[in-house]
Every structure is written in structure tokens, then in C-alpha cells.
Amino acid sequence: MKCGFCGRHFTPAEAAEKEPCGRCLRGCQKSYCPYCSYGNPMIPGFLDRWVKNKDKKE
Amino acid sequence: MASQNKAPKGDRKVILVGNPNVGKSVLFNALTGAYTVVSNYPGTSVAVARGHCEINGQRYEILDTPGMYSLLPITEEERVAREMLLLEDAHAVIHVLDARNIERMLPMTLQLIEAGLPVILLVNILDEAERSGMSIDIPLLQEKLGIPVVGGAMRSKRGLKEVRQAIAECGDDDLPSFGYSSDLEKDIAKVTDTLTGDYRLDLRALALLLLQKDDEILALVSDREGDNFEQVQQAAAETAFEHRFDLHLRISLERKRVCKGLLAETVRQPENRRLRFADRLSAWTTNPWTGFPLLILVLYFGIYQFVGKFGAGVLVNLCEGSLFENFLNPLAISLIDRFVPWYWLRELVVGEYGIFTLGVRYAVALVLPIVGTFFLTFSVIEDVGYFPRLAMLVDRVFKKIGLNGRAVIPMVLGFGCDTMATMVTRTLETVRERVLVTLLLALAIPCSAQLGVILGLLSGVPGALLVWTVCIVLIFLLVGFLSAQVLPGERPMFYMELPPMRLPQFHNVLVKTMTRMQWYFLEIFPLFIIASVLLWAGKMTGALEWLVRGMTPVMGMLGLPEEASAAFIFGFFRRDFGAAGLYDLQEAGLLTPVQLTVAAVTMTLFVPCIAQFLMMKKERGWKVSLGIFLFVTVLAFSVGWSLNIFLLFTGILS
Ligand SMILES: Nc1nc2c(ncn2[C@@H]2O[C@H](COP(=O)(O)OP(=O)(O)OP(=O)(O)O)[C@@H](O)[C@H]2O)c(=O)[nH]1
Ligand SMILES: [Mg+2]
Ligand SMILES: [Zn+2]
Ligand SMILES: [Zn+2]
């Protein structure tokens, strides 16, 4: 995925490990960019597939 | 200089490097054909492909590395790629880049050359670049760079022959060097002068990496230098300290400057007005003189007009006024009245603090339209690429006035709500530092979404919004001041290459907005329901009345009506819940602008909400967290109290 802050690409496996802050009841639900540690929203499955389809078409 | 041992024991090695997605693997396949081996790099989980090819009767081993963004590695893949460059004895290193992004990727070519590696530059994907009207003078670029440069499109094998030839001809030519500004060169020399060991990497590159506090390089140097290491480290530390904040940025800017010069004559972009406008706009956003007016414009239209007027005004009126007040609430109430004989259950569902009339209504009719519009704005701004520029602007300005902007931006931009928590767990040495950081944590404004809700709700009263904004800015400055006390000389977080600015992509924005809204809604909905049940229980048992009565004198001190205590109790669950309560009061005509402002500011400052308090307790223990809770509460109410007096005294807002 592409980081919304620094624009670099990373895979979910590379996302930086972060300890949950404890403020979010259901966990922070973000994948943190390993380069700048921006919290990108974790896109749920159905929306993700939609994005991928779009990307393929492009 | 690097002891490039060119006498091949086995095959000569050729390493392919470059950013992700530039065609390294395509080149690899074109060079090697079918006979390739993919295996994990020793000691890692990163797969590396090796293959062979023969040029003019000489066998070469080709290594395909994982993509990397710079010689300063961050991910494991980048680490492996760099290790291969440092440890494998390369006959040639082919830097593959995407012609369309040559300006962004060329700095790494400089880094590689600087490292003393035998670099061949492949300007790939030239087909696409040419299709968009770009043209690159490859021979001129070669002349200027002083290394072999090949242009091509590996997918169609264009330029493959030249690449093979360049590999065969790769010799011991002296590598060019690019001068940086004289003071940077002086700093580099200070470090290289102390180095005495034997390295494969060029001393200048080594010095640059040392200055940027690269741990692996430090270990390597410590190994090679022996007794002399202390001296090297001292020289590097001193120089790095003098420039603590901006060394990274400076080096990267210098490289960019060199690249700009190199590309000025060699690359012809299509006459594209939008492109050049984007560049100019980008420069405006990070310059304090133009950046702040731009920020204010963004806030005015994006937040005030769209979130405040449209979201909190039009949409909320529609949902809350038309849908709930006129339709759903009366319907629910009449249904319940007809079929439910028990008072307590009627209260639980549709009472003053009913699950439906309070919890659901607040979540669906008040908060959702506001966060929806807020997240839409947020996602558009994010997709345009404005955030890194905003971060740079704030960082610059804060630095100028001696504050530290690092703590502020993360709070607002949703850099993980845990940024502060990470700061706390960092090894802080003195008690003073620990207390300051924990205080920051407590003062820290939770997240952009909650701020957005408060902001949206206040937009109906422009003066209140303005005063509230000023207060928040003051808090930001305070946080910046406190963190400058705690974290001096930290490596800057915002050293970065700015990604290009562009028009927002519709489906990107839509997907991100929906994702954020879903997350937020699922986050608050249960909380709002639980809160209304608790409030109901409080009302039923009389505990709530007791609490409200207890708070009345405090409300009086702030100049607020008794009814406001309920909103503050909501606020303890979450600030946005409390803000919704204030909005309700304001709609009912129970609050004057002064009262609304005082309440909103106090509430924004007040309470680390329950979840935050519990976390603080976990990390710091009861005593400290209670202490901080008391401190923040007293602080919040004192600020509210003084603000009330100030506003009444000056007559602002009345
Ligand atoms: N138009 C065009 N596309 C190319 C060319 N070379 C590669 N590509 C495309 O670029 C994409 C990335 O190619 P890869 O070879 O996988 O990139 P890589 O550099 O190995 O990427 P990582 O392994 O992620 O570091 C593929 O979709 C290729 O088809 C080219 O010359 N022209
Ligand atoms: Mg690859
Ligand atoms: Zn990032
Ligand atoms: Zn969180």
C-alpha cells in the first residue's frame, strides 16, 4: 500500500509494529508506515478489493 | 578508497539496485533467462534471486535486490539490499530507476557513486516517459554524471544490449565526486580525517552515514578502527550535534540541489502547466510567509465552511432536526409509551438519557454527519499530499521560535494515537523528563476526529470557534515548549523527501473516508450506548443528581448553568460525546456564546477520558495518574475560569 503521508510503498508485513495506545476500544486499526510511522487506515476487505480492481484497470 | 578487488575468484558479480517497482526484476529476467535461484539472504527472511549470464565469454553472476529508497535502511528488505552492496564484491552495480520519476530517484545514484561503488545507471521505463512527452538526453546525462548511463525499456528489452555492453566495459575508472556546499564538506572532512581503517565503502560516504547516526555503520567502524574509534565517534558526534535537527534534511537537500543541476539541461518535460503549478504550490505551502495564509484558507474552506457550516449545520439539521426530532423520536416515544408499562424501561430507551434518544441520536444524527464531512476533508487533504508539507511548515516555524514541533503534528495528524505513549516508554533519564512527558500525554489532544467534532459543533458560533482555536494553538505551543525541554537534539521525524502534490483521486478519497468513518463509528457507537446506560442508571439511583449537584458550584465558577454539568459528565466518556451535549444545550438556547466557548475550551483541556486514564494508570500506577488527573483537571478549570473572566471583562463575544 501507499503511505498517505510520505507517499512510499510498503506491504502489510512491513508495517511498523506499534503498541496499541489503549484509547481505541477496538485497537487502533491502522497500519503504520515503516518510513514515517504515519497511521494509515486499514482498509477493510471489500473496499480493498475494489481498490485493487481499480488499480488493475489503470 | 574502496579496495575493489576485481580479480574474480568465481564469476564477477553484478548487483541490481533501485527503488521498488522500477523494473529490476524485469531486467534481471532479461539478463539471466531461465536459470535462476531464489533463496533467502543468509540470516534473514528476505528472498534474493541469483542468476547467471555470459557476455563476451565472461560469466557474470547477477543479483536482484529488494527495492530500497535510500542507503539509510529502514525495513529489513532495505537492510539486506544495502548489506549486499557493502559485502558482495560487485564488479558492477546497476542502479535502475523510473525515467518518469528521475528527479526523485537520482539522489540515490549520487549516494551510490559517493559510496565508491562501480555504478551503471539504467534509466528505465523510457517508453512510458516518452509517451507522456518527456525526453531525456542520455549521452549528456552520462557526461555530467561521469558514469555509464543507459536509457531503455526493459519490458520490451530496449537498451538491453547497451546494458550488457556497459557491464562488460565496467572498469576501474575513477569515480566522479559531487561537491556539496562548503560547510557540509568541511563537516565531512572533519570526520574522514579521523578514519584510519580499511573500508570497501568510500570514506566520504562513510562519514556521511556516521553523521546520520547509522548504527550498523557505527558498529562496522568500531570494529575496524580499534583504539582510534573513540576519536572518530567524537568527531562525528560533535559535528552531528552542531546541526542536530537538520543534518539529514541538509544532506538530502544538497543531493537534490546537485540533481536539479544535473537534470536542468538533460531532461525536457512536456510543457505542462499543471505540473509546474503543482511545484510552485508545493513551495508555497512550506514557506512560512505563504504557508500560513494557505493553511488558513484550507482550514476556512475545508473545516469551517464544509465541516462546520455544511456538516454541522445543514446535515445535522437534516438528520437531527428533521429525521430524529420530528420523526424518529416521536415515533419511538409513542411506540414505547403504548407498549411498555414500566417507567424504568421507558426511561432506558427513550428517556432523558435513553439509549435511543441520547446514545443513538448523538452518534447517528450529531456526530456522524460531522465526522463524515471531517474525514472527507481529511482524506482529500491527505491525498493531495499536503500533510508532509504542513508538517514541514510547523516544524520549521516551531524550530525558529525554539520549540519542538515533533510532538504537535503527530497529535493532530493521527500518527498513531500512540506517539505519546512511545515517547513515555523511551528511556527518559531524569524524573523531570518523565513527569513532563506524562503531562504531555495527559494534555495531548486525543485525535483529529475528536477535535473535528468539537470544531464542527462550534462552527455555528464563529466567535466561539475563533477563541477556541486560539486556545488550542496556545496549547500546541505549550506542548511544543515542553517537548523541546524533554527531547532536545532528537533526529528529526520530518526529514523527508516530499512526495509530489497532485489532484485528489476520487476513489482513493472515497475509500479512505469510508474506512475512517466505519472505524470511528464502530469506535464510538458502543461507547455512546454504554454511556447512556450508565447515565440512566445514575438517574435511576439518584447518583447522577448527587454528582450534578456536586458539580454545580464548579459550573458556577465557570459561569455556566447547572445543566452544563451533564455535558461535562458526558465528556468524561469522550470529548466528542461531551461536545455533542454542549451542542444540545446550545440548540436549546441554554448557553450564551461566552458560556459555550468557556465550556468547550475547558472540556478540550479537561479529562484524559476514561480509556486514557486507565492506560495512564497501567503505565504509571495509581498515585501518579491520580496526581496528573487532578493537575489536568485543576488546570482545565482554572483556564476555563480565567477565560470566563477575561471574556466577560473584555466584552468579547458578548
Ligand atoms: N512500461 C514499462 N513498464 C515496465 C518496464 N520495466 C518494468 N515495467 C513494469 O514495472 C513493474 C515493476 O517491475 P519489477 O521488475 O517487478 O520491479 P522491481 O524493481 O523488481 O520491483 P521490486 O521487486 O518491488 O523492488 C512491472 O509491472 C513491469 O511490468 C518498462 O520498460 N516499461
Ligand atoms: Mg523485484
Ligand atoms: Zn510514510
Ligand atoms: Zn489507538
Side-chain angles (χ1 to χ4, degrees), chain B residues 100-123:
Chain B
R100 295 168 295 183
N101 296 315
I102 188 164
E103 191 170 333
R104 216 151 25 96
M105 296 180 176
L106 199 61
M108 192 159 96
T109 317
L110 296 195
Q111 274 186 311
L112 294 167
I113 296 175
E114 228 165 58
L117 296 164
V119 187
I120 298 170
L121 176 62
L122 169 61
V123 180

PDB file of all heavy atoms in Angstrom, chain B residues 100-123:
ATOM      1  N   ARG B 100      10.261   8.339 -15.373  1.00  0.00           N
ATOM      2  CA  ARG B 100       9.204   9.302 -15.064  1.00  0.00           C
ATOM      3  C   ARG B 100       9.456   9.992 -13.736  1.00  0.00           C
ATOM      4  O   ARG B 100       8.962  11.087 -13.483  1.00  0.00           O
ATOM      5  CB  ARG B 100       7.852   8.590 -15.013  1.00  0.00           C
ATOM      6  CG  ARG B 100       7.439   8.028 -16.353  1.00  0.00           C
ATOM      7  CD  ARG B 100       6.262   7.100 -16.193  1.00  0.00           C
ATOM      8  NE  ARG B 100       6.629   5.910 -15.412  1.00  0.00           N
ATOM      9  CZ  ARG B 100       5.799   4.909 -15.163  1.00  0.00           C
ATOM     10  NH1 ARG B 100       4.559   4.951 -15.593  1.00  0.00           N
ATOM     11  NH2 ARG B 100       6.199   3.863 -14.473  1.00  0.00           N
ATOM     12  N   ASN B 101      10.220   9.317 -12.851  1.00  0.00           N
ATOM     13  CA  ASN B 101      10.496   9.911 -11.538  1.00  0.00           C
ATOM     14  C   ASN B 101      11.975  10.171 -11.350  1.00  0.00           C
ATOM     15  O   ASN B 101      12.494  10.068 -10.245  1.00  0.00           O
ATOM     16  CB  ASN B 101      10.013   8.973 -10.438  1.00  0.00           C
ATOM     17  CG  ASN B 101       8.525   8.800 -10.487  1.00  0.00           C
ATOM     18  OD1 ASN B 101       7.795   9.768 -10.638  1.00  0.00           O
ATOM     19  ND2 ASN B 101       8.057   7.580 -10.409  1.00  0.00           N
ATOM     20  N   ILE B 102      12.629  10.496 -12.423  1.00  0.00           N
ATOM     21  CA  ILE B 102      14.094  10.581 -12.355  1.00  0.00           C
ATOM     22  C   ILE B 102      14.560  11.608 -11.322  1.00  0.00           C
ATOM     23  O   ILE B 102      15.528  11.376 -10.604  1.00  0.00           O
ATOM     24  CB  ILE B 102      14.686  10.879 -13.762  1.00  0.00           C
ATOM     25  CG1 ILE B 102      16.216  10.779 -13.714  1.00  0.00           C
ATOM     26  CG2 ILE B 102      14.266  12.244 -14.288  1.00  0.00           C
ATOM     27  CD1 ILE B 102      16.846  10.663 -15.072  1.00  0.00           C
ATOM     28  N   GLU B 103      13.809  12.684 -11.185  1.00  0.00           N
ATOM     29  CA  GLU B 103      14.259  13.716 -10.260  1.00  0.00           C
ATOM     30  C   GLU B 103      14.244  13.217  -8.817  1.00  0.00           C
ATOM     31  O   GLU B 103      15.107  13.554  -8.028  1.00  0.00           O
ATOM     32  CB  GLU B 103      13.369  14.953 -10.394  1.00  0.00           C
ATOM     33  CG  GLU B 103      13.961  16.131  -9.653  1.00  0.00           C
ATOM     34  CD  GLU B 103      13.236  17.423  -9.958  1.00  0.00           C
ATOM     35  OE1 GLU B 103      12.653  17.530 -11.065  1.00  0.00           O
ATOM     36  OE2 GLU B 103      13.244  18.305  -9.092  1.00  0.00           O
ATOM     37  N   ARG B 104      13.249  12.384  -8.518  1.00  0.00           N
ATOM     38  CA  ARG B 104      13.142  11.876  -7.153  1.00  0.00           C
ATOM     39  C   ARG B 104      14.151  10.741  -6.901  1.00  0.00           C
ATOM     40  O   ARG B 104      14.560  10.502  -5.771  1.00  0.00           O
ATOM     41  CB  ARG B 104      11.718  11.396  -6.901  1.00  0.00           C
ATOM     42  CG  ARG B 104      11.246  11.651  -5.527  1.00  0.00           C
ATOM     43  CD  ARG B 104       9.734  11.851  -5.427  1.00  0.00           C
ATOM     44  NE  ARG B 104       8.950  11.228  -6.469  1.00  0.00           N
ATOM     45  CZ  ARG B 104       8.378  10.025  -6.341  1.00  0.00           C
ATOM     46  NH1 ARG B 104       8.519   9.334  -5.254  1.00  0.00           N
ATOM     47  NH2 ARG B 104       7.652   9.542  -7.326  1.00  0.00           N
ATOM     48  N   MET B 105      14.487   9.999  -7.948  1.00  0.00           N
ATOM     49  CA  MET B 105      15.306   8.809  -7.736  1.00  0.00           C
ATOM     50  C   MET B 105      16.797   9.031  -7.964  1.00  0.00           C
ATOM     51  O   MET B 105      17.615   8.260  -7.492  1.00  0.00           O
ATOM     52  CB  MET B 105      14.811   7.689  -8.651  1.00  0.00           C
ATOM     53  CG  MET B 105      13.386   7.272  -8.314  1.00  0.00           C
ATOM     54  SD  MET B 105      12.783   5.970  -9.376  1.00  0.00           S
ATOM     55  CE  MET B 105      11.178   5.666  -8.633  1.00  0.00           C
ATOM     56  N   LEU B 106      17.136  10.066  -8.675  1.00  0.00           N
ATOM     57  CA  LEU B 106      18.549  10.294  -8.975  1.00  0.00           C
ATOM     58  C   LEU B 106      19.420  10.534  -7.733  1.00  0.00           C
ATOM     59  O   LEU B 106      20.589  10.163  -7.739  1.00  0.00           O
ATOM     60  CB  LEU B 106      18.689  11.453  -9.970  1.00  0.00           C
ATOM     61  CG  LEU B 106      20.027  11.519 -10.720  1.00  0.00           C
ATOM     62  CD1 LEU B 106      20.256  10.284 -11.561  1.00  0.00           C
ATOM     63  CD2 LEU B 106      20.082  12.756 -11.607  1.00  0.00           C
ATOM     64  N   PRO B 107      18.882  11.134  -6.660  1.00  0.00           N
ATOM     65  CA  PRO B 107      19.734  11.305  -5.483  1.00  0.00           C
ATOM     66  C   PRO B 107      20.361   9.989  -5.008  1.00  0.00           C
ATOM     67  O   PRO B 107      21.477   9.978  -4.503  1.00  0.00           O
ATOM     68  CB  PRO B 107      18.772  11.879  -4.436  1.00  0.00           C
ATOM     69  CG  PRO B 107      17.790  12.647  -5.229  1.00  0.00           C
ATOM     70  CD  PRO B 107      17.602  11.858  -6.499  1.00  0.00           C
ATOM     71  N   MET B 108      19.660   8.881  -5.201  1.00  0.00           N
ATOM     72  CA  MET B 108      20.262   7.623  -4.764  1.00  0.00           C
ATOM     73  C   MET B 108      21.449   7.255  -5.647  1.00  0.00           C
ATOM     74  O   MET B 108      22.407   6.648  -5.171  1.00  0.00           O
ATOM     75  CB  MET B 108      19.245   6.498  -4.751  1.00  0.00           C
ATOM     76  CG  MET B 108      19.803   5.294  -4.017  1.00  0.00           C
ATOM     77  SD  MET B 108      18.566   4.178  -3.431  1.00  0.00           S
ATOM     78  CE  MET B 108      18.549   3.014  -4.755  1.00  0.00           C
ATOM     79  N   THR B 109      21.393   7.605  -6.931  1.00  0.00           N
ATOM     80  CA  THR B 109      22.560   7.359  -7.781  1.00  0.00           C
ATOM     81  C   THR B 109      23.764   8.077  -7.186  1.00  0.00           C
ATOM     82  O   THR B 109      24.853   7.518  -7.108  1.00  0.00           O
ATOM     83  CB  THR B 109      22.305   7.887  -9.208  1.00  0.00           C
ATOM     84  OG1 THR B 109      20.993   7.532  -9.604  1.00  0.00           O
ATOM     85  CG2 THR B 109      23.308   7.318 -10.183  1.00  0.00           C
ATOM     86  N   LEU B 110      23.550   9.301  -6.760  1.00  0.00           N
ATOM     87  CA  LEU B 110      24.645  10.046  -6.132  1.00  0.00           C
ATOM     88  C   LEU B 110      25.150   9.329  -4.894  1.00  0.00           C
ATOM     89  O   LEU B 110      26.350   9.216  -4.668  1.00  0.00           O
ATOM     90  CB  LEU B 110      24.196  11.459  -5.732  1.00  0.00           C
ATOM     91  CG  LEU B 110      23.792  12.434  -6.818  1.00  0.00           C
ATOM     92  CD1 LEU B 110      23.751  13.836  -6.242  1.00  0.00           C
ATOM     93  CD2 LEU B 110      24.730  12.372  -8.000  1.00  0.00           C
ATOM     94  N   GLN B 111      24.206   8.835  -4.101  1.00  0.00           N
ATOM     95  CA  GLN B 111      24.605   8.106  -2.893  1.00  0.00           C
ATOM     96  C   GLN B 111      25.474   6.907  -3.245  1.00  0.00           C
ATOM     97  O   GLN B 111      26.470   6.639  -2.575  1.00  0.00           O
ATOM     98  CB  GLN B 111      23.360   7.606  -2.153  1.00  0.00           C
ATOM     99  CG  GLN B 111      22.757   8.603  -1.216  1.00  0.00           C
ATOM    100  CD  GLN B 111      21.627   7.967  -0.416  1.00  0.00           C
ATOM    101  OE1 GLN B 111      20.750   7.315  -0.974  1.00  0.00           O
ATOM    102  NE2 GLN B 111      21.643   8.142   0.879  1.00  0.00           N
ATOM    103  N   LEU B 112      25.086   6.204  -4.298  1.00  0.00           N
ATOM    104  CA  LEU B 112      25.836   5.007  -4.686  1.00  0.00           C
ATOM    105  C   LEU B 112      27.223   5.381  -5.197  1.00  0.00           C
ATOM    106  O   LEU B 112      28.214   4.731  -4.887  1.00  0.00           O
ATOM    107  CB  LEU B 112      25.064   4.224  -5.762  1.00  0.00           C
ATOM    108  CG  LEU B 112      23.740   3.605  -5.306  1.00  0.00           C
ATOM    109  CD1 LEU B 112      22.926   3.139  -6.504  1.00  0.00           C
ATOM    110  CD2 LEU B 112      23.996   2.451  -4.350  1.00  0.00           C
ATOM    111  N   ILE B 113      27.260   6.435  -6.000  1.00  0.00           N
ATOM    112  CA  ILE B 113      28.555   6.883  -6.514  1.00  0.00           C
ATOM    113  C   ILE B 113      29.448   7.303  -5.352  1.00  0.00           C
ATOM    114  O   ILE B 113      30.612   6.940  -5.261  1.00  0.00           O
ATOM    115  CB  ILE B 113      28.378   8.067  -7.490  1.00  0.00           C
ATOM    116  CG1 ILE B 113      27.597   7.614  -8.722  1.00  0.00           C
ATOM    117  CG2 ILE B 113      29.726   8.632  -7.894  1.00  0.00           C
ATOM    118  CD1 ILE B 113      27.262   8.745  -9.676  1.00  0.00           C
ATOM    119  N   GLU B 114      28.819   8.067  -4.425  1.00  0.00           N
ATOM    120  CA  GLU B 114      29.520   8.527  -3.248  1.00  0.00           C
ATOM    121  C   GLU B 114      30.106   7.371  -2.462  1.00  0.00           C
ATOM    122  O   GLU B 114      31.171   7.481  -1.868  1.00  0.00           O
ATOM    123  CB  GLU B 114      28.487   9.196  -2.345  1.00  0.00           C
ATOM    124  CG  GLU B 114      28.847  10.514  -1.817  1.00  0.00           C
ATOM    125  CD  GLU B 114      27.583  11.135  -1.278  1.00  0.00           C
ATOM    126  OE1 GLU B 114      26.939  10.538  -0.392  1.00  0.00           O
ATOM    127  OE2 GLU B 114      27.214  12.197  -1.781  1.00  0.00           O
ATOM    128  N   ALA B 115      29.382   6.255  -2.440  1.00  0.00           N
ATOM    129  CA  ALA B 115      29.830   5.097  -1.676  1.00  0.00           C
ATOM    130  C   ALA B 115      31.005   4.407  -2.347  1.00  0.00           C
ATOM    131  O   ALA B 115      31.536   3.432  -1.825  1.00  0.00           O
ATOM    132  CB  ALA B 115      28.676   4.121  -1.487  1.00  0.00           C
ATOM    133  N   GLY B 116      31.402   4.877  -3.514  1.00  0.00           N
ATOM    134  CA  GLY B 116      32.549   4.285  -4.178  1.00  0.00           C
ATOM    135  C   GLY B 116      32.211   3.017  -4.938  1.00  0.00           C
ATOM    136  O   GLY B 116      33.076   2.208  -5.228  1.00  0.00           O
ATOM    137  N   LEU B 117      30.949   2.839  -5.245  1.00  0.00           N
ATOM    138  CA  LEU B 117      30.542   1.629  -5.962  1.00  0.00           C
ATOM    139  C   LEU B 117      30.636   1.858  -7.465  1.00  0.00           C
ATOM    140  O   LEU B 117      30.438   2.969  -7.945  1.00  0.00           O
ATOM    141  CB  LEU B 117      29.096   1.271  -5.579  1.00  0.00           C
ATOM    142  CG  LEU B 117      28.910   0.908  -4.103  1.00  0.00           C
ATOM    143  CD1 LEU B 117      27.443   0.946  -3.726  1.00  0.00           C
ATOM    144  CD2 LEU B 117      29.504  -0.462  -3.828  1.00  0.00           C
ATOM    145  N   PRO B 118      30.944   0.809  -8.230  1.00  0.00           N
ATOM    146  CA  PRO B 118      31.029   0.936  -9.685  1.00  0.00           C
ATOM    147  C   PRO B 118      29.639   0.976 -10.316  1.00  0.00           C
ATOM    148  O   PRO B 118      29.107  -0.045 -10.732  1.00  0.00           O
ATOM    149  CB  PRO B 118      31.792  -0.321 -10.106  1.00  0.00           C
ATOM    150  CG  PRO B 118      31.548  -1.305  -9.014  1.00  0.00           C
ATOM    151  CD  PRO B 118      31.318  -0.538  -7.756  1.00  0.00           C
ATOM    152  N   VAL B 119      29.050   2.159 -10.370  1.00  0.00           N
ATOM    153  CA  VAL B 119      27.640   2.284 -10.729  1.00  0.00           C
ATOM    154  C   VAL B 119      27.427   2.411 -12.234  1.00  0.00           C
ATOM    155  O   VAL B 119      28.164   3.120 -12.917  1.00  0.00           O
ATOM    156  CB  VAL B 119      27.016   3.528 -10.062  1.00  0.00           C
ATOM    157  CG1 VAL B 119      25.518   3.571 -10.276  1.00  0.00           C
ATOM    158  CG2 VAL B 119      27.365   3.581  -8.601  1.00  0.00           C
ATOM    159  N   ILE B 120      26.420   1.685 -12.729  1.00  0.00           N
ATOM    160  CA  ILE B 120      25.899   1.923 -14.071  1.00  0.00           C
ATOM    161  C   ILE B 120      24.459   2.379 -13.864  1.00  0.00           C
ATOM    162  O   ILE B 120      23.727   1.759 -13.097  1.00  0.00           O
ATOM    163  CB  ILE B 120      25.893   0.627 -14.900  1.00  0.00           C
ATOM    164  CG1 ILE B 120      27.313   0.092 -15.079  1.00  0.00           C
ATOM    165  CG2 ILE B 120      25.212   0.848 -16.243  1.00  0.00           C
ATOM    166  CD1 ILE B 120      27.365  -1.299 -15.670  1.00  0.00           C
ATOM    167  N   LEU B 121      24.079   3.461 -14.504  1.00  0.00           N
ATOM    168  CA  LEU B 121      22.706   3.928 -14.318  1.00  0.00           C
ATOM    169  C   LEU B 121      21.839   3.477 -15.481  1.00  0.00           C
ATOM    170  O   LEU B 121      22.182   3.692 -16.644  1.00  0.00           O
ATOM    171  CB  LEU B 121      22.684   5.459 -14.221  1.00  0.00           C
ATOM    172  CG  LEU B 121      21.300   6.101 -14.112  1.00  0.00           C
ATOM    173  CD1 LEU B 121      20.587   5.655 -12.848  1.00  0.00           C
ATOM    174  CD2 LEU B 121      21.399   7.618 -14.140  1.00  0.00           C
ATOM    175  N   LEU B 122      20.728   2.805 -15.151  1.00  0.00           N
ATOM    176  CA  LEU B 122      19.775   2.443 -16.195  1.00  0.00           C
ATOM    177  C   LEU B 122      18.515   3.283 -16.015  1.00  0.00           C
ATOM    178  O   LEU B 122      17.811   3.162 -15.015  1.00  0.00           O
ATOM    179  CB  LEU B 122      19.421   0.946 -16.113  1.00  0.00           C
ATOM    180  CG  LEU B 122      18.235   0.508 -16.973  1.00  0.00           C
ATOM    181  CD1 LEU B 122      18.494   0.770 -18.451  1.00  0.00           C
ATOM    182  CD2 LEU B 122      17.904  -0.961 -16.763  1.00  0.00           C
ATOM    183  N   VAL B 123      18.260   4.149 -16.982  1.00  0.00           N
ATOM    184  CA  VAL B 123      17.044   4.956 -16.945  1.00  0.00           C
ATOM    185  C   VAL B 123      15.965   4.135 -17.645  1.00  0.00           C
ATOM    186  O   VAL B 123      15.895   4.076 -18.868  1.00  0.00           O
ATOM    187  CB  VAL B 123      17.250   6.303 -17.647  1.00  0.00           C
ATOM    188  CG1 VAL B 123      15.974   7.128 -17.601  1.00  0.00           C
ATOM    189  CG2 VAL B 123      18.388   7.064 -16.987  1.00  0.00           C
TER     190      VAL B 123
END
